[in-house]
mmCIF file of all heavy atoms in Angstrom:
data_model
loop_
_atom_site.group_PDB
_atom_site.id
_atom_site.type_symbol
_atom_site.label_atom_id
_atom_site.label_comp_id
_atom_site.label_asym_id
_atom_site.label_seq_id
_atom_site.Cartn_x
_atom_site.Cartn_y
_atom_site.Cartn_z
ATOM 1 N N ILE I 10 0.841 -1.206 0.000
ATOM 2 C CA ILE I 10 0.000 0.000 0.000
ATOM 3 C C ILE I 10 0.875 1.255 0.000
ATOM 4 O O ILE I 10 0.582 2.221 -0.728
ATOM 5 C CB ILE I 10 -0.977 -0.018 1.192
ATOM 6 C CG1 ILE I 10 -2.064 -1.050 0.938
ATOM 7 C CG2 ILE I 10 -1.599 1.355 1.415
ATOM 8 C CD1 ILE I 10 -2.995 -1.275 2.106
ATOM 9 N N ILE I 11 1.946 1.263 0.767
ATOM 10 C CA ILE I 11 2.853 2.421 0.767
ATOM 11 C C ILE I 11 3.489 2.598 -0.608
ATOM 12 O O ILE I 11 3.598 3.726 -1.112
ATOM 13 C CB ILE I 11 3.917 2.275 1.872
ATOM 14 C CG1 ILE I 11 3.279 2.418 3.247
ATOM 15 C CG2 ILE I 11 5.020 3.323 1.704
ATOM 16 C CD1 ILE I 11 4.216 2.126 4.395
ATOM 17 N N HIS I 12 3.902 1.501 -1.237
ATOM 18 C CA HIS I 12 4.466 1.597 -2.587
ATOM 19 C C HIS I 12 3.436 2.133 -3.581
ATOM 20 O O HIS I 12 3.770 2.961 -4.440
ATOM 21 C CB HIS I 12 4.980 0.245 -3.060
ATOM 22 C CG HIS I 12 6.401 -0.016 -2.711
ATOM 23 N ND1 HIS I 12 7.448 0.690 -3.231
ATOM 24 C CD2 HIS I 12 6.963 -0.929 -1.883
ATOM 25 C CE1 HIS I 12 8.582 0.238 -2.749
ATOM 26 N NE2 HIS I 12 8.309 -0.758 -1.919
ATOM 27 N N LEU I 13 2.194 1.673 -3.494
ATOM 28 C CA LEU I 13 1.157 2.162 -4.401
ATOM 29 C C LEU I 13 0.870 3.644 -4.188
ATOM 30 O O LEU I 13 0.728 4.404 -5.153
ATOM 31 C CB LEU I 13 -0.127 1.350 -4.220
ATOM 32 C CG LEU I 13 -0.150 -0.025 -4.859
ATOM 33 C CD1 LEU I 13 -1.428 -0.767 -4.496
ATOM 34 C CD2 LEU I 13 -0.024 0.085 -6.366
ATOM 35 N N ILE I 14 0.786 4.058 -2.936
ATOM 36 C CA ILE I 14 0.548 5.473 -2.644
ATOM 37 C C ILE I 14 1.689 6.327 -3.176
ATOM 38 O O ILE I 14 1.464 7.385 -3.778
ATOM 39 C CB ILE I 14 0.346 5.683 -1.118
ATOM 40 C CG1 ILE I 14 -0.993 5.100 -0.695
ATOM 41 C CG2 ILE I 14 0.425 7.160 -0.749
ATOM 42 C CD1 ILE I 14 -1.203 5.051 0.797
ATOM 43 N N ASN I 15 2.915 5.870 -2.988
ATOM 44 C CA ASN I 15 4.068 6.610 -3.484
ATOM 45 C C ASN I 15 4.065 6.683 -5.015
ATOM 46 O O ASN I 15 4.389 7.718 -5.592
ATOM 47 C CB ASN I 15 5.361 5.990 -2.987
ATOM 48 C CG ASN I 15 6.559 6.796 -3.374
ATOM 49 O OD1 ASN I 15 6.515 8.017 -3.357
ATOM 50 N ND2 ASN I 15 7.638 6.132 -3.744
ATOM 51 N N SER I 16 3.691 5.593 -5.673
ATOM 52 C CA SER I 16 3.650 5.592 -7.132
ATOM 53 C C SER I 16 2.574 6.520 -7.675
ATOM 54 O O SER I 16 2.780 7.204 -8.676
ATOM 55 C CB SER I 16 3.407 4.176 -7.655
ATOM 56 O OG SER I 16 4.475 3.341 -7.321
ATOM 57 N N VAL I 17 1.436 6.551 -7.016
ATOM 58 C CA VAL I 17 0.364 7.436 -7.454
ATOM 59 C C VAL I 17 0.738 8.894 -7.208
ATOM 60 O O VAL I 17 0.494 9.753 -8.058
ATOM 61 C CB VAL I 17 -0.963 7.064 -6.748
ATOM 62 C CG1 VAL I 17 -2.025 8.113 -6.974
ATOM 63 C CG2 VAL I 17 -1.445 5.707 -7.233
ATOM 64 N N GLN I 18 1.349 9.193 -6.062
ATOM 65 C CA GLN I 18 1.744 10.567 -5.766
ATOM 66 C C GLN I 18 2.814 11.073 -6.710
ATOM 67 O O GLN I 18 2.800 12.237 -7.096
ATOM 68 C CB GLN I 18 2.241 10.680 -4.324
ATOM 69 C CG GLN I 18 1.143 10.662 -3.305
ATOM 70 C CD GLN I 18 1.682 10.767 -1.887
ATOM 71 O OE1 GLN I 18 2.871 10.624 -1.653
ATOM 72 N NE2 GLN I 18 0.786 11.010 -0.944
ATOM 73 N N SER I 19 3.739 10.220 -7.098
ATOM 74 C CA SER I 19 4.801 10.640 -8.008
ATOM 75 C C SER I 19 4.394 10.490 -9.476
ATOM 76 O O SER I 19 5.198 10.750 -10.365
ATOM 77 C CB SER I 19 6.076 9.838 -7.747
ATOM 78 O OG SER I 19 5.870 8.481 -8.064
ATOM 79 N N LYS I 20 3.137 10.101 -9.716
ATOM 80 C CA LYS I 20 2.594 9.898 -11.065
ATOM 81 C C LYS I 20 3.470 8.957 -11.879
ATOM 82 O O LYS I 20 3.766 9.200 -13.042
ATOM 83 C CB LYS I 20 2.424 11.235 -11.768
ATOM 84 C CG LYS I 20 1.425 12.125 -11.085
ATOM 85 C CD LYS I 20 1.299 13.465 -11.747
ATOM 86 C CE LYS I 20 0.313 14.297 -10.953
ATOM 87 N NZ LYS I 20 0.357 15.688 -11.329
ATOM 88 N N ASN I 21 3.886 7.887 -11.226
ATOM 89 C CA ASN I 21 4.785 6.918 -11.833
ATOM 90 C C ASN I 21 4.207 5.504 -11.785
ATOM 91 O O ASN I 21 4.938 4.542 -11.876
ATOM 92 C CB ASN I 21 6.147 6.965 -11.115
ATOM 93 C CG ASN I 21 7.224 6.296 -11.912
ATOM 94 O OD1 ASN I 21 7.096 6.103 -13.108
ATOM 95 N ND2 ASN I 21 8.289 5.917 -11.228
ATOM 96 N N LEU I 22 2.894 5.400 -11.643
ATOM 97 C CA LEU I 22 2.256 4.083 -11.567
ATOM 98 C C LEU I 22 2.113 3.521 -12.974
ATOM 99 O O LEU I 22 1.392 4.060 -13.800
ATOM 100 C CB LEU I 22 0.894 4.174 -10.885
ATOM 101 C CG LEU I 22 0.162 2.864 -10.674
ATOM 102 C CD1 LEU I 22 0.955 1.970 -9.735
ATOM 103 C CD2 LEU I 22 -1.209 3.099 -10.119
ATOM 104 N N THR I 23 2.839 2.442 -13.227
ATOM 105 C CA THR I 23 2.784 1.798 -14.534
ATOM 106 C C THR I 23 2.278 0.374 -14.361
ATOM 107 O O THR I 23 2.121 -0.117 -13.240
ATOM 108 C CB THR I 23 4.177 1.773 -15.189
ATOM 109 O OG1 THR I 23 5.065 1.028 -14.353
ATOM 110 C CG2 THR I 23 4.713 3.176 -15.391
ATOM 111 N N LEU I 24 2.053 -0.284 -15.486
ATOM 112 C CA LEU I 24 1.620 -1.669 -15.451
ATOM 113 C C LEU I 24 2.699 -2.558 -14.836
ATOM 114 O O LEU I 24 2.400 -3.490 -14.097
ATOM 115 C CB LEU I 24 1.271 -2.146 -16.862
ATOM 116 C CG LEU I 24 0.759 -3.564 -16.985
ATOM 117 C CD1 LEU I 24 -0.559 -3.715 -16.256
ATOM 118 C CD2 LEU I 24 0.619 -3.954 -18.433
ATOM 119 N N THR I 25 3.943 -2.237 -15.111
ATOM 120 C CA THR I 25 5.060 -3.005 -14.553
ATOM 121 C C THR I 25 5.068 -2.926 -13.031
ATOM 122 O O THR I 25 5.233 -3.933 -12.345
ATOM 123 C CB THR I 25 6.393 -2.477 -15.112
ATOM 124 O OG1 THR I 25 6.336 -2.519 -16.530
ATOM 125 C CG2 THR I 25 7.552 -3.278 -14.615
ATOM 126 N N THR I 26 4.881 -1.725 -12.505
ATOM 127 C CA THR I 26 4.849 -1.539 -11.051
ATOM 128 C C THR I 26 3.695 -2.321 -10.437
ATOM 129 O O THR I 26 3.871 -2.991 -9.418
ATOM 130 C CB THR I 26 4.705 -0.050 -10.715
ATOM 131 O OG1 THR I 26 5.739 0.684 -11.364
ATOM 132 C CG2 THR I 26 4.772 0.194 -9.228
ATOM 133 N N ALA I 27 2.540 -2.235 -11.063
ATOM 134 C CA ALA I 27 1.371 -2.933 -10.532
ATOM 135 C C ALA I 27 1.555 -4.448 -10.566
ATOM 136 O O ALA I 27 1.186 -5.141 -9.611
ATOM 137 C CB ALA I 27 0.124 -2.529 -11.323
ATOM 138 N N ILE I 28 2.147 -4.965 -11.639
ATOM 139 C CA ILE I 28 2.357 -6.413 -11.751
ATOM 140 C C ILE I 28 3.328 -6.904 -10.682
ATOM 141 O O ILE I 28 3.082 -7.920 -10.018
ATOM 142 C CB ILE I 28 2.850 -6.791 -13.156
ATOM 143 C CG1 ILE I 28 1.711 -6.684 -14.162
ATOM 144 C CG2 ILE I 28 3.408 -8.209 -13.187
ATOM 145 C CD1 ILE I 28 2.134 -6.923 -15.592
ATOM 146 N N ILE I 29 4.418 -6.183 -10.484
ATOM 147 C CA ILE I 29 5.407 -6.609 -9.479
ATOM 148 C C ILE I 29 4.816 -6.553 -8.072
ATOM 149 O O ILE I 29 4.988 -7.482 -7.275
ATOM 150 C CB ILE I 29 6.681 -5.758 -9.585
ATOM 151 C CG1 ILE I 29 7.455 -6.150 -10.824
ATOM 152 C CG2 ILE I 29 7.567 -5.898 -8.369
ATOM 153 C CD1 ILE I 29 7.930 -7.586 -10.815
ATOM 154 N N LEU I 30 4.124 -5.477 -7.747
ATOM 155 C CA LEU I 30 3.537 -5.368 -6.409
ATOM 156 C C LEU I 30 2.470 -6.438 -6.180
ATOM 157 O O LEU I 30 2.404 -7.035 -5.100
ATOM 158 C CB LEU I 30 2.951 -3.966 -6.203
ATOM 159 C CG LEU I 30 3.972 -2.843 -6.059
ATOM 160 C CD1 LEU I 30 3.267 -1.497 -5.981
ATOM 161 C CD2 LEU I 30 4.847 -3.054 -4.850
ATOM 162 N N LEU I 31 1.659 -6.697 -7.187
ATOM 163 C CA LEU I 31 0.635 -7.729 -7.051
ATOM 164 C C LEU I 31 1.249 -9.114 -6.933
ATOM 165 O O LEU I 31 0.766 -9.957 -6.163
ATOM 166 C CB LEU I 31 -0.331 -7.672 -8.233
ATOM 167 C CG LEU I 31 -1.538 -8.586 -8.164
ATOM 168 C CD1 LEU I 31 -2.406 -8.212 -6.965
ATOM 169 C CD2 LEU I 31 -2.335 -8.496 -9.442
ATOM 170 N N SER I 32 2.337 -9.352 -7.643
ATOM 171 C CA SER I 32 2.976 -10.671 -7.556
ATOM 172 C C SER I 32 3.624 -10.883 -6.187
ATOM 173 O O SER I 32 3.504 -11.959 -5.607
ATOM 174 C CB SER I 32 4.003 -10.850 -8.667
ATOM 175 O OG SER I 32 5.072 -9.959 -8.500
ATOM 176 N N VAL I 33 4.284 -9.856 -5.663
ATOM 177 C CA VAL I 33 4.878 -9.967 -4.319
ATOM 178 C C VAL I 33 3.778 -10.203 -3.285
ATOM 179 O O VAL I 33 3.907 -11.063 -2.408
ATOM 180 C CB VAL I 33 5.695 -8.703 -3.983
ATOM 181 C CG1 VAL I 33 6.042 -8.636 -2.515
ATOM 182 C CG2 VAL I 33 6.951 -8.647 -4.827
ATOM 183 N N LEU I 34 2.700 -9.463 -3.414
ATOM 184 C CA LEU I 34 1.584 -9.611 -2.483
ATOM 185 C C LEU I 34 0.988 -11.016 -2.545
ATOM 186 O O LEU I 34 0.774 -11.654 -1.509
ATOM 187 C CB LEU I 34 0.508 -8.568 -2.805
ATOM 188 C CG LEU I 34 -0.648 -8.442 -1.846
ATOM 189 C CD1 LEU I 34 -0.190 -7.753 -0.574
ATOM 190 C CD2 LEU I 34 -1.770 -7.660 -2.478
ATOM 191 N N SER I 35 0.773 -11.528 -3.740
ATOM 192 C CA SER I 35 0.141 -12.845 -3.844
ATOM 193 C C SER I 35 1.075 -13.979 -3.437
ATOM 194 O O SER I 35 0.621 -14.972 -2.857
ATOM 195 C CB SER I 35 -0.396 -13.072 -5.256
ATOM 196 O OG SER I 35 0.645 -13.074 -6.182
ATOM 197 N N ILE I 36 2.374 -13.848 -3.697
ATOM 198 C CA ILE I 36 3.307 -14.898 -3.277
ATOM 199 C C ILE I 36 3.372 -14.980 -1.757
ATOM 200 O O ILE I 36 3.273 -16.069 -1.174
ATOM 201 C CB ILE I 36 4.706 -14.653 -3.879
ATOM 202 C CG1 ILE I 36 4.702 -14.950 -5.368
ATOM 203 C CG2 ILE I 36 5.753 -15.510 -3.181
ATOM 204 C CD1 ILE I 36 5.963 -14.531 -6.076
ATOM 205 N N ILE I 37 3.519 -13.858 -1.099
ATOM 206 C CA ILE I 37 3.619 -13.877 0.369
ATOM 207 C C ILE I 37 2.283 -14.266 0.990
ATOM 208 O O ILE I 37 2.241 -15.009 1.976
ATOM 209 C CB ILE I 37 4.152 -12.532 0.886
ATOM 210 C CG1 ILE I 37 5.597 -12.373 0.417
ATOM 211 C CG2 ILE I 37 4.067 -12.458 2.406
ATOM 212 C CD1 ILE I 37 6.272 -11.111 0.846
ATOM 213 N N TYR I 38 1.160 -13.796 0.426
ATOM 214 C CA TYR I 38 -0.144 -14.242 0.916
ATOM 215 C C TYR I 38 -0.281 -15.754 0.773
ATOM 216 O O TYR I 38 -0.767 -16.426 1.677
ATOM 217 C CB TYR I 38 -1.275 -13.559 0.135
ATOM 218 C CG TYR I 38 -1.821 -12.310 0.760
ATOM 219 C CD1 TYR I 38 -0.988 -11.358 1.320
ATOM 220 C CD2 TYR I 38 -3.185 -12.066 0.770
ATOM 221 C CE1 TYR I 38 -1.493 -10.214 1.874
ATOM 222 C CE2 TYR I 38 -3.697 -10.921 1.315
ATOM 223 C CZ TYR I 38 -2.855 -9.996 1.868
ATOM 224 O OH TYR I 38 -3.364 -8.866 2.417
#
């Protein structure tokens, strides 16, 4: 969530960022 908030604030949210964050989240979950 902190990474997503930072990406949105810096207007740097890309598909690559979303895929990596979602994959890390799902692997650890």
